[in-house]
Amino acid sequence: MPRIAVLTSGGDAPGMNAALRTIAKVAAIHGVEVIGFEDGYDGLIDGRTRALTRKADGGLTTTAEVGLAGNLGGTFLGSSRCARFVTPEGRAAAAARLDGFTGLIVIGGNGSLTGAHKLAQETGVKVMGVPASIDNDVGCTSTAIGVDTALNVITEACDRISDTARSHRRAFIIEVMGRHSGYLAMASAVAVGADGILFREQGRSEAELVTTVANLLRRGFAQKGDKRRVLVIKAEGVEIPCTRLVRLVQDELAAELPGVEV
């Protein structure tokens, strides 16, 4: 009976369990056994496995665990960032664990898929990658697993924050994930109607960031009564911490907008 291996690696993303369930269900229909490796590449190197399919009525079906986990966030196989897999020796040890498997499916982000690519190049193991990164920073893909969920969570949070902002005439700076990609910041800002977006790709200095946000608040609150809230979305890749940015902006605007809280 043919069998394939699957693992989840790197940061967890909502939808990983759904992907595992789909892989197991489709494979079972085609008579392919699926074995999951626990805790990403660490589990692959150590040989820690968990069956995702089982024999039933002369064929295969998914295990009960797979069926129950499909609607849960995170990954029931577990995930990790494996330092050992970065080395050629670690990848060779991982390849040895795949003896007898038709191939390996890796569900993960940029680093995980880079490792999967090297594994295939160096050892000849057949590898398929499934992009899973809420930052949506995997090259040559449109949308990765977890991105839509992240956008919905950000949108809901910003909608709730905006209610308070309008009630008290406040400005809020919301930091969202995205170390090297400003996609989440840009897409969520459009979705919630934010007044400003700060992301790493702009390459602004700390002084420029403070001036930009301060000017945004000046314009937003210049006409009393018309504007009740200012919302700025900041990607985590912008290195100035939110607390410092807020403090510097408030210091600059203390005399001009004494009644506005950031």
Side-chain angles (χ1 to χ4, degrees), residues 189 192-197 216 219-220 227 229-233:
V192 303
D195 300 279
I197 314 161
L216 189 66
R219 291 194 301 270
K227 187 76 170 175
R229 76 90 153 119
V230 170
L231 186 68
V232 178
I233 306 293

Side-chain angles (χ1 to χ4, degrees), residues 86-112:
V86 174
T87 67
E89 295 77 15
R91 292 190 290 273
R97 295 290 186 183
L98 294 169
D99 185 37
F101 286 88
T102 304
L104 168 68
I105 299 176
V106 175
I107 304 172
N110 252 334
S112 301

Side-chain angles (χ1 to χ4, degrees), residues 5-7 41 44 98 102-106 119 125-128:
V6 62
L7 60 83
Y41 290 120
L44 177 57
L98 294 169
T102 304
L104 168 68
I105 299 176
V106 175
L119 179 68
V125 171
K126 294 180 179 179
V127 181
M128 176 179 287

Side-chain angles (χ1 to χ4, degrees), residues 1-4 30-34 60 100 102:
M1 179 183 294
R3 62 177 182 162
I4 57 175
H30 292 280
V32 177
E33 182 183 6
V34 180
L60 290 173
T102 304

Side-chain angles (χ1 to χ4, degrees), residues 145-164:
I145 286 174
V147 174
D148 183 70
T149 303
L151 284 174
N152 278 282
V153 170
I154 294 168
T155 300
E156 181 180 358
C158 287
D159 285 346
R160 293 175 183 271
I161 287 169
S162 291
D163 290 340
T164 293

